[in-house]
Amino acid sequence: MMKLFIREHLPLLIFTLLELLGVLMVFWFDGYDHPLTALYALFLGLFLFAGYLVFRFVTHRGFYARLSNPFESLSESVQKHEPAPLPSALSELLETQYRQYQNMLQSWKRKNEDYLTFMNQWVHQMKTPLSVIEMVTQEEEDERLVSISEETDRLREGLEMVLYVARLDTFEQDFGVENVNLNELARDTVHEHKRYFIRSHVYPEVSIEEGISVRTDPKWMRFVLGQLLSNAIKYSAGSGHKVTVSAKTTGHEVILEIQDRGAGIPKSDLPRVFRPFYTGENGRRFKESTGMGLYLVKEVVGRLNHRIELESAEGEGTLVRIHFS
């Protein structure tokens, strides 16, 4: 604050000194040769100027403090301080800008809420015809209907991802923590992907003790596990290998592991797999990659206050660990 005050008034101080010296020089060259009187006049001028600076600093102290220290919140910018013209004008300007910002924020908030409402309704509307198609095709052996059933599964998975992406912005209002049995969660999620496992010739293996449970949100964790299983199946398709879901307790932690033996992830891609829309080398080989699955998993796991790790070697498979504290 003091540094800003000095920097602002330094040109005025220099100008005042030059002005006083100029006046003294005029009198000196005019023949007025009383040094003590001249020094007294110089001292008196500087004393009055110092008094002005003290008055200025006292009346504008809050003003300089506001300019020197960043605001911790926008609401602090509208606090009124001294009644002096300059601080008062600044307060009015900041208050006007703050009101405009609040109006814009409310407008964007309403638009975002309308968008989320529309997306939720649209996804649920699309699920109805998908359910009808599934009912028509699930018991048929016609190759064409089997192909339609496969595409229906892809559509449903895509709609689920859209729905959860839309809900991510209101995550804090859309989750509830409770005790969740990991064995039941894993088996339910594997069952939901049963047809995907079968047609990809990949086999699920759930190796979790019945008594292991964690504190988490069951709906969001089912989504997380579903995304990880979809990735594991996608990159293991046609191999005939297993995708293993297991859990273990270490100290105060429960660790859920999803292990596949598929294509794996190239080492150069590992640092970026959790970035949104990043598909990497596997994205060029497997055309269904969107680059959003692992990003959403990372976001959800972090917001649930869990931790995720990923290990992979190209050609050997991928291991994902979720740590529940």
Side-chain angles (χ1 to χ4, degrees), residues 164 167 170-181 185 214-222 300 303-306 324:
Y164 279 95
R167 288 176 176 173
T170 56
F171 183 87
E172 290 75 11
Q173 305 166 8
D174 191 41
F175 83 104
V177 175
E178 58 186 75
N179 283 322
V180 177
N181 185 287
L185 177 68
V214 294
R215 295 282 293 173
T216 189
D217 180 274
K219 179 182 65 180
W220 283 101
M221 276 310 302
R222 185 174 288 108
V300 172
R303 296 189 189 201
L304 289 172
N305 202 28
H306 308 321
F324 301 87

Side-chain angles (χ1 to χ4, degrees), residues 234-237 263 281-289:
K234 182 191 307 178
Y235 299 127
S236 305
E281 186 176 326
N282 282 344
R284 291 184 287 272
R285 294 169 54 194
F286 300 87
K287 302 303 181 182
E288 296 179 9
S289 299

Side-chain angles (χ1 to χ4, degrees), residues 141-159:
E141 296 182 0
D142 191 313
E143 291 185 3
R144 292 173 299 177
L145 295 180
V146 171
S147 178
I148 292 174
S149 179
E150 293 177 0
E151 298 304 322
T152 303
D153 287 342
R154 292 192 180 96
L155 284 172
R156 182 174 292 278
E157 184 178 351
L159 288 175

